[in-house]
């Protein structure tokens, strides 16, 4: 099993929750890319977007991803946009094993509508705007997400089963 595992997928797909559990199951360190960016920038993601803008955030995100992916072993939850800029999906696939956590727009909406405020790309959106944003962005990003080595259905993930498949290379 490759010991660098990258979880990719849309906001709200459960990358961090699943990532922590998978890391524990595989006895690997867990990395949350968004948290690492915040530590490095000494600033919240919300404030990076607000004061420095999205382009700067994407550059910081990509730099942080490249830096951290030199570590030998980890399970990393990436931000929803991380693989989609600067051809980062290629870098991810070169460095380790990528897993796409796939979720339908309605389930993403249900999860995000209660947690909008911590996410600058959706915080001011009304329900109908949020749904349109999810559908459009997901359609746009799916071609990237689908370049992951493996895909999991975000509604029915069994951590032990996934860990087993990774260890035995029996996906
Ligand atoms: C973003 C997703 C967020 C965070 C930032 C932008 C995106 O991460 O990186 O708010 O563009 O999809 P999560 O996917 O962990 O919410």
């Amino acid at each position: 099993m490759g010991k660098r595992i990258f979880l990719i997928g849309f906001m709200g797909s459960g990358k961090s929750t699943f990532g922590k559990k998978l890391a524990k199951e595989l006895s690997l360190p867990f990395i949350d890319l968004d948290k690492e960016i915040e530590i490095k920038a000494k600033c919240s993601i919300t404030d990076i977007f607000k004061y420095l803008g999205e382009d700067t955030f994407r550059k910081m995100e990509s730099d942080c991803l490249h830096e951290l992916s030199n570590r030998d072993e980890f399970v990393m939850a990436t931000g929803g946009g991380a693989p989609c800029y600067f051809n980062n999906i290629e870098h991810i696939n070169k460095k380790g094993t990528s897993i796409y956590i796939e979720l339908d727009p309605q389930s993403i909406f249900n999860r995000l509508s209660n947690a909008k405020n911590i996410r600058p790309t959706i915080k001011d959106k009304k329900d109908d705007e949020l749904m349109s944003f999810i559908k459009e962005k997901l359609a746009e990003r799916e071609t990237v997400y689908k370049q992951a080595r493996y895909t999991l259905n975000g509604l029915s993930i069994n951590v032990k089963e996934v860990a087993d498949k990774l260890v035995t290379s029996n996906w």
Side-chain angles (χ1 to χ4, degrees):
M1 177 188 80
K3 292 211 163 177
R4 297 191 189 112
I5 314 245
F6 296 87
L7 305 179
I8 68 173
F10 210 78
M11 284 177 272
S13 58
K15 294 164 294 197
S16 298
T17 310
F18 168 61
K20 278 179 206 154
K21 291 182 189 162
L22 184 64
K24 197 166 172 210
E25 197 62 37
L26 294 170
S27 302
L28 294 176
F30 172 69
I31 300 177
D32 188 315
L33 182 60
D34 281 344
K35 291 234 167 74
E36 295 293 331
I37 298 166
E38 290 182 327
I39 291 167
K40 203 170 164 208
K42 298 190 181 72
C43 184
S44 68
I45 304 278
T46 304
D47 282 349
I48 299 174
F49 267 76
K50 189 166 163 194
Y51 298 111
L52 303 173
E54 180 166 356
D55 288 354
T56 305
F57 170 74
R58 294 303 172 193
K59 181 78 180 62
M60 293 167 92
E61 177 179 56
S62 184
D63 287 350
C64 219
L65 170 71
H66 279 248
E67 226 174 278
L68 291 165
S69 51
N70 285 324
R71 293 190 187 169
D72 291 334
E73 43 179 42
F74 54 78
V75 173
M76 184 193 294
T78 64
C84 309
Y85 294 83
F86 309 106
N87 230 345
N88 281 335
I89 187 65
E90 255 182 38
H91 175 77
I92 287 173
N93 283 335
K94 233 180 259 163
K95 283 287 183 178
T97 306
S98 53
I99 304 177
Y100 170 32
I101 304 182
E102 189 175 29
L103 207 58
D104 61 283
Q106 185 62 52
S107 307
I108 293 174
F109 174 87
N110 295 344
R111 292 185 186 188
L112 289 182
S113 53
N114 294 322
K116 281 196 285 199
N117 287 340
I118 52 163
R119 291 181 168 97
T121 48
I122 57 170
K123 75 176 168 44
D124 297 320
K125 297 199 186 318
K126 297 191 196 85
D127 280 0
D128 55 334
E129 292 169 338
L130 178 61
M131 194 59 183
S132 310
F133 172 85
I134 292 168
K135 284 184 177 159
E136 270 168 40
K137 268 273 177 275
L138 187 60
E140 191 184 304
R141 290 178 172 179
E142 236 171 8
T143 50
V144 174
Y145 293 154
K146 288 195 165 156
Q147 292 173 51
R149 173 121 178 240
Y150 304 117
T151 297
L152 288 175
N153 177 346
L155 291 178
S156 58
I157 298 182
N158 181 320
V159 182
K160 281 199 188 334
E161 208 177 285
V162 175
D164 242 36
K165 284 179 174 175
L166 284 166
V167 172
T168 58
S169 301
N170 181 25
W171 201 285

